[in-house]
Amino acid sequence: MSTQWQIQGDYLESCTCKGACPCIYLEPPTEGDCSALVGWHIKKGAYGEVALDDLNIALALNAPGPMAEGNWKVVLYLDQRADEHQQEALGNIFGGKAGGHPELLASMIGDVLAVERQPIGFSVDDGGRHLTIGSSYEADVKAIEGQNGHKVTIDNHPLAVAPGHSLVVAKSRSLRHRNHGIDLDMSARTALYSPFEYAGP
């Protein structure tokens, strides 16, 4: 019998595209290919009897063309604080083996370059999000201010990491990663964030 699971929390992504990311509209990335850091903070969740509250996950990826066309190369980072059972649960969920929306996302992966345990931080404030992986990699993003001081949002985009939620449009203050050929060191590029909810199978 498949294990019932559910997780919810906050997610962010920041990539190499300039301006609003075309990938979420199923269009080619602005730089030809697209490299990104994606992070999730699980506020509350469980995989069967295994509690997943307050754990973090991160993904570094490179897509050779439009994200929706797949063939991603990825490095998956699991929270170092997770015990053996939690690591297995997170690997099953985000590796696409446990069903739900992560299974769809995982179907776009062509090559898993590595799965690593690292200290992962994820902080939230009203104006942005900050993901850290180890001591050297990060995505630090700040929301773009829209009309009357409100955040700029996107709804009903066809390619969604967190379906059913409005995306806040942001810009990276820092985007840094150098591991397994996915090399990033830039700022002022596309970033997005929102709550997320996943469940399976």
Side-chain angles (χ1 to χ4, degrees), residues 20 24-25 152-157 165-169 192:
I24 63 172
Y25 310 113
V152 179
T153 59
I154 300 172
D155 292 281
N156 301 315
H157 41 292
H165 291 278
S166 297
L167 280 177
V168 175
V169 181
L192 304 162

mmCIF file of all heavy atoms in Angstrom, residues 20 24-25 152-157 165-169 192:
data_model
loop_
_atom_site.group_PDB
_atom_site.id
_atom_site.type_symbol
_atom_site.label_atom_id
_atom_site.label_comp_id
_atom_site.label_asym_id
_atom_site.label_seq_id
_atom_site.Cartn_x
_atom_site.Cartn_y
_atom_site.Cartn_z
ATOM 1 N N ALA A 20 10.845 38.957 -16.245
ATOM 2 C CA ALA A 20 9.919 37.917 -15.791
ATOM 3 C C ALA A 20 10.251 36.602 -16.487
ATOM 4 O O ALA A 20 10.441 36.560 -17.702
ATOM 5 C CB ALA A 20 8.487 38.327 -16.088
ATOM 6 N N ILE A 24 7.647 29.868 -17.002
ATOM 7 C CA ILE A 24 6.347 29.574 -16.402
ATOM 8 C C ILE A 24 5.212 29.756 -17.402
ATOM 9 O O ILE A 24 4.086 29.326 -17.156
ATOM 10 C CB ILE A 24 6.098 30.415 -15.133
ATOM 11 C CG1 ILE A 24 6.045 31.910 -15.450
ATOM 12 C CG2 ILE A 24 7.153 30.118 -14.080
ATOM 13 C CD1 ILE A 24 5.621 32.766 -14.264
ATOM 14 N N TYR A 25 5.513 30.382 -18.549
ATOM 15 C CA TYR A 25 4.535 30.511 -19.637
ATOM 16 C C TYR A 25 4.848 29.544 -20.782
ATOM 17 O O TYR A 25 4.339 29.701 -21.887
ATOM 18 C CB TYR A 25 4.517 31.939 -20.176
ATOM 19 C CG TYR A 25 4.394 32.994 -19.107
ATOM 20 C CD1 TYR A 25 5.443 33.875 -18.848
ATOM 21 C CD2 TYR A 25 3.243 33.101 -18.334
ATOM 22 C CE1 TYR A 25 5.344 34.834 -17.859
ATOM 23 C CE2 TYR A 25 3.136 34.057 -17.342
ATOM 24 C CZ TYR A 25 4.188 34.925 -17.108
ATOM 25 O OH TYR A 25 4.093 35.871 -16.114
ATOM 26 N N VAL A 152 3.823 42.518 -6.643
ATOM 27 C CA VAL A 152 3.419 42.086 -7.983
ATOM 28 C C VAL A 152 3.204 40.577 -7.937
ATOM 29 O O VAL A 152 4.054 39.838 -7.426
ATOM 30 C CB VAL A 152 4.506 42.430 -9.024
ATOM 31 C CG1 VAL A 152 4.093 41.955 -10.406
ATOM 32 C CG2 VAL A 152 4.792 43.923 -9.022
ATOM 33 N N THR A 153 2.080 40.109 -8.462
ATOM 34 C CA THR A 153 1.775 38.675 -8.404
ATOM 35 C C THR A 153 1.384 38.136 -9.780
ATOM 36 O O THR A 153 0.966 38.883 -10.665
ATOM 37 C CB THR A 153 0.637 38.375 -7.411
ATOM 38 O OG1 THR A 153 -0.537 39.089 -7.801
ATOM 39 C CG2 THR A 153 1.039 38.773 -5.999
ATOM 40 N N ILE A 154 1.531 36.816 -9.927
ATOM 41 C CA ILE A 154 1.153 36.097 -11.144
ATOM 42 C C ILE A 154 0.231 34.954 -10.740
ATOM 43 O O ILE A 154 0.519 34.236 -9.773
ATOM 44 C CB ILE A 154 2.391 35.534 -11.873
ATOM 45 C CG1 ILE A 154 3.342 36.661 -12.286
ATOM 46 C CG2 ILE A 154 1.984 34.707 -13.085
ATOM 47 C CD1 ILE A 154 4.672 36.168 -12.825
ATOM 48 N N ASP A 155 -0.853 34.778 -11.489
ATOM 49 C CA ASP A 155 -1.806 33.708 -11.199
ATOM 50 C C ASP A 155 -2.041 32.844 -12.434
ATOM 51 O O ASP A 155 -1.945 33.317 -13.567
ATOM 52 C CB ASP A 155 -3.155 34.297 -10.756
ATOM 53 C CG ASP A 155 -3.069 34.975 -9.404
ATOM 54 O OD1 ASP A 155 -3.072 34.260 -8.390
ATOM 55 O OD2 ASP A 155 -2.987 36.220 -9.368
ATOM 56 N N ASN A 156 -2.375 31.581 -12.185
ATOM 57 C CA ASN A 156 -2.817 30.656 -13.237
ATOM 58 C C ASN A 156 -1.762 30.430 -14.321
ATOM 59 O O ASN A 156 -2.101 30.134 -15.472
ATOM 60 C CB ASN A 156 -4.125 31.150 -13.870
ATOM 61 C CG ASN A 156 -5.239 31.276 -12.853
ATOM 62 O OD1 ASN A 156 -5.439 30.382 -12.036
ATOM 63 N ND2 ASN A 156 -5.953 32.394 -12.874
ATOM 64 N N HIS A 157 -0.490 30.531 -13.972
ATOM 65 C CA HIS A 157 0.597 30.259 -14.910
ATOM 66 C C HIS A 157 0.632 28.756 -15.203
ATOM 67 O O HIS A 157 0.432 27.938 -14.308
ATOM 68 C CB HIS A 157 1.927 30.739 -14.331
ATOM 69 C CG HIS A 157 2.080 30.451 -12.870
ATOM 70 N ND1 HIS A 157 1.315 31.076 -11.903
ATOM 71 C CD2 HIS A 157 2.874 29.585 -12.200
ATOM 72 C CE1 HIS A 157 1.637 30.613 -10.715
ATOM 73 N NE2 HIS A 157 2.575 29.703 -10.872
ATOM 74 N N HIS A 165 -1.487 28.583 -6.023
ATOM 75 C CA HIS A 165 -1.059 29.747 -5.253
ATOM 76 C C HIS A 165 -0.577 30.855 -6.179
ATOM 77 O O HIS A 165 0.027 30.586 -7.219
ATOM 78 C CB HIS A 165 0.069 29.373 -4.287
ATOM 79 C CG HIS A 165 -0.369 28.493 -3.167
ATOM 80 N ND1 HIS A 165 -0.967 28.975 -2.029
ATOM 81 C CD2 HIS A 165 -0.322 27.145 -3.021
ATOM 82 C CE1 HIS A 165 -1.255 27.973 -1.223
ATOM 83 N NE2 HIS A 165 -0.876 26.849 -1.802
ATOM 84 N N SER A 166 -0.834 32.101 -5.790
ATOM 85 C CA SER A 166 -0.307 33.249 -6.519
ATOM 86 C C SER A 166 1.190 33.356 -6.276
ATOM 87 O O SER A 166 1.652 33.247 -5.135
ATOM 88 C CB SER A 166 -0.979 34.544 -6.044
ATOM 89 O OG SER A 166 -2.358 34.529 -6.314
ATOM 90 N N LEU A 167 1.940 33.574 -7.349
ATOM 91 C CA LEU A 167 3.379 33.793 -7.236
ATOM 92 C C LEU A 167 3.665 35.256 -6.948
ATOM 93 O O LEU A 167 3.100 36.139 -7.600
ATOM 94 C CB LEU A 167 4.075 33.430 -8.550
ATOM 95 C CG LEU A 167 4.365 31.971 -8.851
ATOM 96 C CD1 LEU A 167 4.983 31.860 -10.237
ATOM 97 C CD2 LEU A 167 5.285 31.372 -7.807
ATOM 98 N N VAL A 168 4.550 35.521 -6.016
ATOM 99 C CA VAL A 168 5.076 36.870 -5.817
ATOM 100 C C VAL A 168 6.304 37.022 -6.705
ATOM 101 O O VAL A 168 7.204 36.183 -6.688
ATOM 102 C CB VAL A 168 5.441 37.117 -4.347
ATOM 103 C CG1 VAL A 168 6.098 38.488 -4.182
ATOM 104 C CG2 VAL A 168 4.205 37.013 -3.464
ATOM 105 N N VAL A 169 6.316 38.089 -7.507
ATOM 106 C CA VAL A 169 7.438 38.349 -8.409
ATOM 107 C C VAL A 169 8.526 39.092 -7.633
ATOM 108 O O VAL A 169 8.260 40.104 -6.981
ATOM 109 C CB VAL A 169 6.992 39.178 -9.623
ATOM 110 C CG1 VAL A 169 8.174 39.423 -10.563
ATOM 111 C CG2 VAL A 169 5.866 38.467 -10.360
ATOM 112 N N LEU A 192 10.924 34.169 -7.761
ATOM 113 C CA LEU A 192 9.506 33.982 -7.484
ATOM 114 C C LEU A 192 9.369 33.272 -6.148
ATOM 115 O O LEU A 192 10.237 32.487 -5.772
ATOM 116 C CB LEU A 192 8.847 33.125 -8.577
ATOM 117 C CG LEU A 192 8.979 33.615 -10.022
ATOM 118 C CD1 LEU A 192 8.681 32.479 -10.997
ATOM 119 C CD2 LEU A 192 8.049 34.791 -10.274
#
